[in-house]
Amino acid sequence: MYDFVSVVDRAGKGAAKWEDMKKKHPNLPPGVIPLSVADMEFTTAPEITQGLTEYLKDLVLGYTVPTPAYYEAVCGWMKKRHNWDIDSGWIVTSDGVVSALFNAVRAFTKPGDGIIILAPVYYPFYRAVEANGRKVAASNLMTKDGRYTVDYDDLEARAKEKENTLLIFCSPHNPVGRVWDREELERVGKICIENRVTVVSDEIHFDVVLPGYTHTVFASMNEDFAQNTVTCTAPSKTFNLAGLQTSNIIIKNENLRKAFTEAQALHGGHSMLNIFGYKACEIAYTRCEKWLEEFLGVLDQNRRIAEDFFQKKPMGIRVSRLEGTYLQWWDCRALGMDCGELERFMVNEALLFLDEGRIFGGPGKGFERINLACPSAVLEAALLRFRDALERRARVYRTWKDRGNSFSVRREAMWNRGPIQP
């Protein structure tokens, strides 16, 4: 029913990641598309563009607040897609989830407090903590065969430290692509309840879950969790509406909600959102479910394309199985490049514009995050550029070696496609 094939040229239109790509490489050949920021390379769902066009016909562009239809759409979506019954009174609107994270840090902690995050993790988590004069208490995720899990012993140890009063939790997890199961969520929640650690659960990707996996809203599991959790949601990742700056922060606990809204008003005088954001959210949640289902099928196809590519053409790259989000996590450490060299190789040789793993914290060094929300042909072209760039390097190395030069054992193993342990 929908167009997930056409390539949209966003050059010169202010698209943030496209502008950043041009700054990094001003003389790009045509057809190169950035696969970095979580921003889809698809046309907008037609129901949204048509609905906004109709909405604009007799619209006065003045100050606007959420309508009953808006609240009904949000509550209805939570019930239908997530089996989560919420009251409209729990909804606090925000111009973005990142803004909400910054605000939550101010609302629920004091300067000098420690805030727990599970690293590697979405880089604004670090900024929200450090920019507000708090301390990052990173609990590193564990990984086995490319699949990440929570280190519960370490999480509990950090939760027991009295200065650590808040956990910013990412579910589904960005960048490693995990959809946490109920048992995992229960263990995290129990640790936080027992140690009086408030949870801010960033669930902005909660609609983007691949076949075979089920997302569980953290606050929906039981009343204790509901009373201890601030849930950050938005239609922006699901329907690519980030430019409309509309998010729904759901807080059942009245005291937490009051603290959040007061901090929000005190810091920025926040009162209302983008007039089109309200309507686009309403339309998305009431008319665009079929678009989402079709998108998830395309995403699963792209996930398979990348996995199969590296399986059939072993290059030392390990790809984490994508369960949720449209962001795939590549382990490139076997290439033997440091962070700077890896980025230069991607940008200047492979013409790949991804998100460098180092920005997600220390455990992300040597990794790359790629956005799979693009036409399959775009992804396939990017993978071929990556392969060709590696092969060009291999030819240069072989020529260099034939002339009597030496090379590191690590890189020699890589170019010979031998097994490498990072």
Side-chain angles (χ1 to χ4, degrees), residues 26 41 58 61 202 214 276 289 295 308 324 341 356 360 371:
E41 295 301 324
D58 58 356
L61 300 175
D202 175 3
T214 301
F276 296 109
E289 192 169 24
F295 162 67
D308 291 347
E341 184 182 4
E356 302 302 311
F360 301 95
N371 180 349

Side-chain angles (χ1 to χ4, degrees), residues 398-411:
R398 284 193 293 269
T399 301
W400 193 35
K401 185 179 180 183
D402 289 345
R403 293 174 179 172
N405 295 288
S406 62
F407 213 50
S408 73
V409 174
R410 185 179 181 82
R411 292 193 187 179

Side-chain angles (χ1 to χ4, degrees), residues 12 31 41 46 98 103 180 198 219 231 240 249 255 267 315 366 392:
E41 295 301 324
V98 172
N103 189 62
W180 308 112
T198 303
T231 306
N240 210 39
I249 314 306
N255 292 330
H267 184 76
M315 304 173 188
R392 283 194 298 273

Side-chain angles (χ1 to χ4, degrees), residues 71 75 84-92 250-252 257:
Y71 284 123
C75 293
W84 187 25
D85 289 301
I86 67 168
D87 186 279
S88 62
W90 304 351
I91 300 171
V92 181
I250 303 169
I251 314 172
K252 184 175 185 179
R257 189 166 64 251

Side-chain angles (χ1 to χ4, degrees), residues 165-177:
T165 57
L166 186 70
L167 166 67
I168 305 181
F169 188 60
C170 197
S171 179
H173 195 281
N174 172 12
V176 307

Side-chain angles (χ1 to χ4, degrees), residues 46-245:
E47 290 86 351
I48 294 174
T49 53
Q50 293 165 8
L52 289 180
T53 300
E54 186 67 26
Y55 180 56
L56 186 58
K57 286 182 179 178
D58 58 356
L59 184 65
V60 175
L61 300 175
Y63 296 119
T64 305
V65 296
T67 62
Y70 173 85
Y71 284 123
E72 288 173 10
V74 174
C75 293
W77 185 261
M78 299 306 163
K79 176 61 177 178
K80 185 175 184 180
R81 296 293 300 190
H82 300 284
N83 195 30
W84 187 25
D85 289 301
I86 67 168
D87 186 279
S88 62
W90 304 351
I91 300 171
V92 181
T93 57
S94 170
D95 59 9
V97 165
V98 172
S99 298
L101 298 180
F102 274 72
N103 189 62
V105 169
R106 293 189 294 267
F108 307 131
T109 67
K110 61 182 185 299
D113 280 0
I115 297 175
I116 304 169
I117 60 174
L118 304 183
V121 76
Y122 184 45
Y123 48 91
F125 283 24
Y126 297 93
R127 295 208 307 262
V129 175
E130 295 168 342
N132 284 298
R134 277 66 166 174
K135 299 176 182 177
V136 172
S139 178
N140 293 344
L141 296 171
M142 301 187 298
T143 180
K144 182 178 180 181
D145 297 328
R147 191 171 193 265
Y148 286 79
T149 57
V150 177
D151 184 341
Y152 297 103
D153 291 338
D154 186 68
L155 174 60
E156 185 169 21
R158 296 190 180 279
K160 287 183 180 297
E161 297 174 9
K162 291 184 178 180
E163 65 271 24
N164 296 336
T165 57
L166 186 70
L167 166 67
I168 305 181
F169 188 60
C170 197
S171 179
H173 195 281
N174 172 12
V176 307
R178 275 299 318 280
V179 174
W180 308 112
D181 61 37
R182 290 186 68 90
E183 181 181 356
E184 290 173 307
L185 295 174
E186 286 170 354
R187 293 185 69 178
V188 171
K190 184 178 179 182
I191 288 171
C192 291
I193 295 288
E194 291 176 348
N195 293 281
R196 297 183 179 180
V197 173
T198 303
V199 177
V200 175
S201 187
D202 175 3
E203 305 194 24
I204 194 171
H205 292 276
F206 69 159
D207 295 318
V208 186
V209 177
L210 275 79
Y213 301 94
T214 301
H215 176 81
T216 302
V217 175
F218 192 86
S220 72
M221 298 187 66
N222 60 56
E223 184 61 18
D224 287 340
F225 286 16
Q227 291 295 334
N228 194 51
T229 304
V230 172
T231 306
C232 300
T233 77
S236 53
K237 299 307 177 192
T238 311
F239 300 101
N240 210 39
L241 302 177
L244 293 180
Q245 300 178 322

